Amino acid sequence: MKTMWLLIFAILILLVLDVSVSPMFAKAPTTPKILFTSSRDGNREIYMMNPDGSEQVNLTQHRAEDMTAVWSPRGDKILFVSNRQGTGVRDLYVMNPDGSNVRRVFKRKAKGQRRNPAWSPDGKQFVYSYVDWDRWEFGLYLGTFGEEDAEELPYGHSPEWSPDGSEIAYSISHQFGSRLTFMDVRTRKLEQPLPDEALQWQRNPSWSAVGDRLAITGNRHLLPVIDGKDLDEARALHEAWSDKHTVFIVNRDGTGLRQLIEEDGPRAGVSTLSPDGSEVLYTQKINGDSQIFKIDVNSGVRTQLTHIVGPFRPKTNAGGDWFDPAYTLSVSPQPHLLTTTWGDVKKQ
């Protein structure tokens, strides 16, 4: 009888532990999944779907604006941006893949907005953009999970960490456009392999899992300067050229630049490159509503993944971050070994 009671007691303990502790141990998806933002429910929420657009699920279901979600390297956490602290105040949050256990990354509230986060390959750090319009402060910051202080990096926006952890790709705006920039994480040395003559605007870089090439948003056309022009004329020229942003792919060394989407439609912006580098996820407006598409880099075949439309207001389906369990590493990235490791993974 005593043994029986001990067994029952042990079972009860396991049940209690399972209920109270299991949410802390998040499970990564076992199949490829895409995170994206949609306003189909009245405000922006974070959704997850399959790479073919099926099984679109709302993860956040919150009255605040939730957006810009990115997978952790192992797929067991999601880092995202929300204004849950108050209207107009965007900060970084993390949650489990099923939307549970939402918590703030920083305990201290920022004066400006933290946004556009990207994980380090080892999952210990993250980089993000910071904007404070009142103080006219803009920049990139490097944060470490569990720490309140963040390191200010050279100016830029839309950061993406390389798969081997050695550098961060981002965009630096200048008077006549923007340049794709690579920052060495160890030395902070900057490199800009793609000249303005090749592509005037170079934005939103996204790495392949191997790190050999990137997808970027680009615009070959120089936007006119307003000085000396009639304001209406200048505005019309700006609007005419703004729709020329489209999707390109380029090798890491700046060679092989290739345009994937023609300029004959609304502007298209890169969201992410698939882990195997074969497809690019991008956002484009169709009949006033933003929708998510993907294009095959080799065949040029395009597939529309979201189809949510009005009727009462334009709907936004945008962004995207692609996780594939076949491209996760079992150990923390080591720059001197990782190239071989990723090559082995790709062959499997």
Side-chain angles (χ1 to χ4, degrees):
M1 180 62 70
K2 183 177 180 180
T3 302
M4 178 65 71
W5 279 110
L6 287 174
L7 179 60
I8 293 173
F9 182 69
I11 292 174
L12 288 173
I13 291 178
L14 289 175
L15 289 173
V16 171
L17 287 176
D18 181 65
V19 171
S20 60
V21 178
S22 60
M24 298 176 61
F25 297 94
K27 293 183 178 180
T30 57
T31 59
K33 296 290 182 180
I34 291 173
L35 294 173
F36 67 101
T37 302
S38 178
S39 65
R40 65 188 64 181
D41 294 327
N43 69 319
R44 282 182 285 190
E45 302 275 10
I46 294 168
Y47 282 72
M48 180 171 63
M49 65 179 170
N50 294 327
D52 62 0
S54 63
E55 297 183 21
Q56 298 184 14
V57 180
N58 185 341
L59 297 180
T60 48
Q61 300 178 3
H62 196 276
R63 63 182 181 277
E65 298 282 325
D66 302 317
M67 66 205 83
T68 324
V70 288
W71 291 106
S72 66
R74 298 175 185 271
D76 58 344
K77 294 181 181 64
I78 296 172
L79 186 62
F80 68 101
V81 177
S82 179
N83 65 352
R84 299 184 182 207
Q85 296 181 75
T87 303
V89 181
R90 297 181 182 180
D91 211 340
L92 304 182
Y93 290 76
V94 68
M95 65 181 176
N96 292 341
D98 61 359
S100 64
N101 196 24
V102 177
R103 60 270 192 202
R104 286 174 55 187
V105 173
F106 293 97
K107 294 181 180 179
R108 291 200 304 259
K109 183 177 178 180
K111 295 180 180 178
Q113 300 183 28
R114 300 180 177 112
R115 53 191 190 182
N116 301 120
W119 294 82
S120 65
D122 62 8
K124 297 178 181 179
Q125 293 182 297
F126 54 97
V127 61
Y128 63 94
S129 300
Y130 180 80
V131 176
D132 187 342
W133 293 105
D134 293 335
R135 296 166 181 78
W136 208 245
E137 296 177 359
F138 312 93
L140 290 180
Y141 283 82
L142 177 64
T144 301
F145 286 101
E147 297 182 7
E148 288 296 302
D149 295 326
E151 177 190 352
E152 186 174 4
L153 300 176
Y155 166 75
H157 54 87
S158 304
E160 283 292 333
W161 217 304
S162 67
D164 67 2
S166 66
E167 55 187 357
I168 296 172
Y170 60 97
S171 182
I172 294 181
S173 298
H174 57 78
Q175 184 178 3
F176 302 108
S178 59
R179 293 282 296 274
L180 174 63
T181 304
F182 298 96
M183 184 194 74
D184 187 294
V185 174
R186 183 176 61 84
T187 66
R188 299 297 191 264
K189 181 181 178 181
L190 304 183
E191 179 187 356
Q192 295 179 324
L194 197 59
D196 286 338
E197 293 75 20
L199 198 61
Q200 191 66 45
W201 296 87
Q202 308 166 19
R203 298 172 170 172
N204 309 117
S206 175
W207 295 89
S208 67
V210 184
D212 58 342
R213 57 182 176 174
L214 304 93
I216 59 174
T217 300
N219 189 330
R220 296 184 185 275
H221 306 280
L222 176 63
L223 294 180
V225 179
I226 292 180
D227 294 343
K229 292 182 178 291
D230 177 83
L231 184 59
D232 291 336
E233 176 189 357
R235 184 180 293 110
L237 289 172
H238 274 271
E239 291 176 355
W241 288 129
S242 66
D243 268 354
K244 302 304 179 183
H245 280 76
T246 190
V247 178
F248 292 80
I249 194 161
V250 63
N251 294 330
R252 162 59 186 85
D253 61 4
T255 63
L257 179 67
R258 183 159 57 95
Q259 184 172 331
L260 300 181
I261 305 293
E262 297 299 323
E263 298 176 355
D264 57 357
R267 65 185 298 164
V270 169
S271 298
T272 189
L273 185 60
S274 65
D276 64 4
S278 67
E279 295 177 298
V280 177
L281 204 67
Y282 68 96
T283 301
Q284 190 172 36
K285 280 190 175 182
I286 303 296
N287 298 322
D289 295 298
S290 295
Q291 305 291 0
I292 298 174
F293 297 78
K294 67 177 180 180
I295 182 170
D296 188 288
V297 172
N298 298 313
S299 69
V301 174
R302 287 186 277 184
T303 305
Q304 185 172 343
L305 301 182
T306 62
H307 298 81
I308 303 299
V309 298
F312 302 111
R313 54 179 289 188
K315 298 298 181 183
T316 296
N317 302 279
D321 192 50
W322 202 317
F323 173 76
D324 189 337
Y327 285 83
T328 58
L329 293 176
S330 59
V331 296
S332 298
Q334 303 176 50
H336 65 288
L337 297 176
L338 195 55
T339 301
T340 301
T341 304
W342 275 122
D344 292 341
V345 171
K346 187 180 180 183
K347 293 175 183 177
Q348 293 178 358

